[in-house]
Amino acid sequence: MYYFLKAMHEDDIPRVQEIERQSFSAPWSANTYRRELSSPATSRYIVARSSPSLPPDEPIMPYVPRRSLLQTLLPSVFTKPQPVSPFPLVGYAGLWLMVDEGHITTIAVAPSQRSQGLGELLLNGLIDQGLDMGATRLTLEVRISNESAQKLYLKYGFEPSGTRVRYYTDNGEDALIMWTDVITEPSYQHRLSELRERLALRLQRQAGMVE
Ligand SMILES: CC(C)(COP(=O)(O)OP(=O)(O)OC[C@H]1O[C@@H](n2cnc3c(N)ncnc32)[C@H](O)[C@@H]1OP(=O)(O)O)[C@@H](O)C(=O)NCCC(=O)NCCS
């Protein structure tokens, strides 16, 4: 199977919410996602899709619309229906820009598709979106108990920098705050390109493209 990233579109929200319900105890509403998608200058959402054959070679964000206020208020009048994608949505992730900080808001892979490198693929997509928007560092909060996600973040240079006590209202769990170093620095870029080479090889092997 091949995997590739695209911008999240409103039509993706029902499937995103399906994965969200399987992944998080306090899922976001469809309206929250719609709101997030309406401000592409400061908020970027991507999805990972799967394809049994080599996918179309297009940039990730070719169709992020810039909306006027009226378009945001009356999306159904202005939004052109997107052709239904033939490629199943298997994961998604999002990032907000605050001044020059990229805040990772969410990342999830469908349970049946985990441990194949898709979390990494999505995180790489977010790092690219952060760089594109001018972020110099990235940050996120993660549940203290979520060791698999923390390992993913540590692999990409996020370091623990404190906790937010009882941050998660559903069970009162603490959040671990993590930050990267400056992502535009040569040292981070070097580490990133090594990780990307390894990930590309892993995904190519899984797709049967290389031995
Ligand atoms: C966290 C999540 C996105 C990872 O996605 P994934 O596709 O399974 O992860 P990948 O296969 O890309 O793994 C990348 C790295 O993450 C870490 N990791 C992923 N799953 C892991 C597991 N079960 N145990 C330990 N480490 C794990 C490892 O460091 C791994 O690198 P490695 O393969 O070199 O060991 C996925 O588990 C998920 O959707 N979880 C539910 C939602 C969630 O918790 N999101 C994070 C909110 S902060």
Side-chain angles (χ1 to χ4, degrees):
M1 195 60 78
Y2 297 85
Y3 298 99
F4 62 103
L5 300 175
K6 296 294 285 182
M8 188 188 291
H9 189 269
E10 281 190 16
D11 296 346
D12 295 325
I13 293 174
R15 173 63 183 142
V16 164
Q17 285 198 294
E18 219 172 272
I19 298 175
E20 175 117 350
R21 281 192 291 271
Q22 295 167 334
S23 304
F24 298 113
S25 46
W28 283 4
S29 70
N31 271 343
T32 302
Y33 273 104
R34 273 187 215 110
R35 214 170 33 243
E36 293 294 303
L37 295 182
S38 67
S39 1
T42 51
S43 136
R44 297 276 175 91
Y45 283 77
I46 57 176
V47 297
R49 295 188 177 281
S50 65
S51 165
S53 55
L54 210 55
D57 186 20
E58 292 167 2
I60 295 185
M61 307 301 262
Y63 59 81
V64 176
R66 296 205 178 256
R67 293 174 168 211
S68 67
L69 180 61
L70 196 58
Q71 284 173 313
T72 305
L73 295 174
L74 292 170
S76 56
V77 176
F78 288 93
T79 307
K80 274 197 255 158
Q82 291 284 312
V84 175
S85 172
F87 304 109
L89 193 162
V90 292
Y92 62 91
L95 179 83
W96 283 337
L97 183 73
M98 286 182 200
V99 192
D100 61 349
E101 298 170 354
H103 291 247
I104 293 185
T105 56
T106 189
I107 180 165
V109 173
S112 63
Q113 306 283 334
R114 288 181 190 160
S115 301
Q116 302 181 80
L118 295 182
E120 272 195 56
L121 182 67
L122 283 160
L123 187 55
N124 274 289
L126 288 186
I127 294 169
D128 282 342
Q129 293 306 313
L131 288 165
D132 184 54
M133 287 193 288
T136 55
R137 295 172 79 209
L138 301 177
T139 184
L140 53 85
E141 282 103 17
V142 53
R143 285 178 193 261
I144 291 283
S145 64
N146 195 346
E147 289 178 14
S148 47
Q150 287 170 31
K151 283 200 181 132
L152 167 64
Y153 303 139
L154 283 168
K155 188 170 176 179
Y156 278 79
F158 288 79
E159 291 293 339
S161 75
T163 52
R164 292 194 205 287
V165 178
R166 299 185 63 79
Y167 181 73
Y168 295 100
T169 49
D170 59 330
N171 65 352
E173 190 172 351
D174 294 352
L176 181 68
I177 306 166
M178 300 182 87
W179 279 93
T180 60
D181 281 337
V182 176
I183 58 176
T184 47
E185 282 289 317
S187 55
Y188 189 86
Q189 288 291 320
H190 180 69
R191 176 179 186 160
L192 189 60
S193 51
E194 280 181 355
L195 285 166
R196 286 183 175 186
E197 270 173 38
R198 261 186 266 157
L199 176 64
L201 198 60
R202 177 181 180 181
L203 294 172
Q204 283 165 4
R205 279 212 184 98
Q206 285 171 191
M209 290 167 80
V210 291
E211 290 286 299

